[in-house]
Amino acid sequence: MVELTIVVPIYNEVENLERLYRAVTDAVQPHAESYEILLVNDGSSDGSYEKLEELAGLDSRVKVMHFEKNCGQTAAIYAGIKHANGRYIATIDADLQTDPNDIFTLMPYMKDYDFANGTRVRRQDSLVKKVSSRIGNGVRNWITKDRVQDTGCPMKLFKREVGESYVLYEGFHRFLPTLARMNGFSVVEVAVTHRPREYGASKYGVLDRAFVGLMDAIVIGWLHKRSIRYKIRGE
Ligand code: UDP
Ligand code: MG
């Protein structure tokens, strides 16, 4: 079993792939004895396919999966998690808005926690995005009865048991810490760095997330309320 799997969902990120590979490798190599970079191509049509194949050909630690068509970010992350060989699984976005070095800001917390969620303390996005995200986090926490500051932060690290416990539906990648807690795992939030997107474009507008995100939160709230939790006497 490898020590660490880095899962990256990729949809039309061709300008980012080379630098992503270099940044992740530079960050991980000094720390992890064995690792794999699992790049999940969510049906890109911009040349990401060819670039990913090239990277996989150069380095056996790079594993690529190509979806037949675009299935969404949750599907890409889910496929990555379910195919990961690592004892620990890190997720990041392809755009390098979070710094792969922060995987090792989170790693020490694996001693006492099962899931470490990054918090983008100085978030480098547009004001509209920051405000909508803050409102989104507030509404999500209110509905799901959780208290996650930055559930959408792409930088996360968790134990493989957490990944094994997930049953995800489209949109659920925004609730991974809450779902981990619901499945009985401990969660910690840790400040990480954030930078502006340098290449490529964001795949989301503000409004496409607002309404669907609200519906998703209601579903998660319902799942939380209806979760079955029992303990057998004497066990
Ligand atoms: N992504 C994906 N499938 C999609 C949309 C996005 O795999 O249908 C990937 C994208 O390539 C990136 C990550 O998910 O690595 C987050 O997307 P983006 O950076 O556009 O979102 P933002 O950070 O702007 O919220
Ligand atoms: Mg991004």
Side-chain angles (χ1 to χ4, degrees):
M1 186 183 280
V2 295
E3 197 180 327
L4 174 67
T5 301
I6 302 97
V7 171
V8 193
I10 291 161
Y11 182 52
N12 292 343
E13 300 281 3
V14 70
E15 309 100 309
N16 282 312
L17 297 178
E18 181 91 38
R19 55 197 285 275
L20 170 72
Y21 165 66
R22 302 235 168 271
V24 172
T25 303
D26 289 351
V28 174
Q29 230 164 20
H31 293 279
E33 273 180 22
S34 57
Y35 65 91
E36 60 182 3
I37 308 172
L38 190 40
L39 305 171
V40 186
N41 177 10
D42 182 15
S44 300
S45 54
D46 68 340
S48 291
Y49 180 98
E50 291 74 12
K51 189 75 209 170
L52 288 168
E53 285 297 307
E54 184 191 319
L55 293 172
L58 288 174
D59 186 339
S60 60
R61 286 164 297 201
V62 175
K63 312 257 165 69
V64 294
M65 284 194 281
H66 302 284
F67 285 175
E68 289 183 350
K69 58 180 176 60
N70 181 237
C71 295
Q73 192 178 342
T74 311
I77 291 173
Y78 198 35
I81 292 173
K82 294 298 174 185
H83 286 83
N85 294 302
R87 200 151 82 82
Y88 299 103
I89 300 172
T91 63
I92 54 167
D93 282 357
D95 53 25
L96 288 178
Q97 283 198 259
T98 51
D99 180 351
N101 286 298
D102 275 329
I103 295 171
F104 301 96
T105 308
L106 304 184
M107 192 59 94
Y109 292 89
M110 291 293 102
K111 208 151 61 71
D112 296 318
Y113 297 90
D114 303 309
F115 188 116
N117 197 63
T119 301
R120 296 166 286 189
V121 276
R122 280 195 199 85
R123 190 159 167 188
Q124 305 294 319
D125 278 322
S126 67
L127 185 64
V128 177
K129 206 163 188 171
K130 284 194 280 197
V131 171
S132 64
S133 167
R134 182 162 287 206
I135 296 169
N137 278 305
V139 172
R140 272 190 288 257
N141 283 330
W142 177 60
I143 295 174
T144 62
K145 308 219 168 12
D146 207 348
R147 52 183 184 281
V148 189
Q149 282 182 65
D150 189 9
T151 189
C153 180
M155 169 63 62
K156 301 175 193 296
L157 179 69
F158 47 90
K159 294 179 180 159
R160 73 173 289 111
E161 294 82 348
V162 177
E164 282 165 356
S165 79
Y166 282 144
V167 178
L168 302 183
Y169 292 81
E170 183 53 28
F172 277 24
H173 70 274
R174 299 197 184 93
F175 297 87
L176 293 181
T178 299
L179 289 165
R181 244 185 215 131
M182 278 166 57
N183 292 349
F185 296 102
S186 53
V187 176
V188 63
E189 295 175 81
V190 181
V192 296
T193 51
H194 194 243
R195 346 183 241 218
R197 194 188 241 277
E198 277 185 61
Y199 300 95
S202 170
K203 310 299 177 290
Y204 301 101
V206 173
L207 285 182
D208 20 294
R209 285 195 261 221
F211 300 112
V212 186
L214 178 63
M215 296 310 291
D216 292 346
I218 292 168
V219 169
I220 302 272
W222 184 89
L223 285 173
H224 182 48
K225 196 159 174 241
R226 308 288 275 178
S227 292
I228 293 172
R229 303 176 194 87
Y230 60 84
K231 279 201 174 128
I232 297 173
R233 282 184 196 207
E235 274 192 3

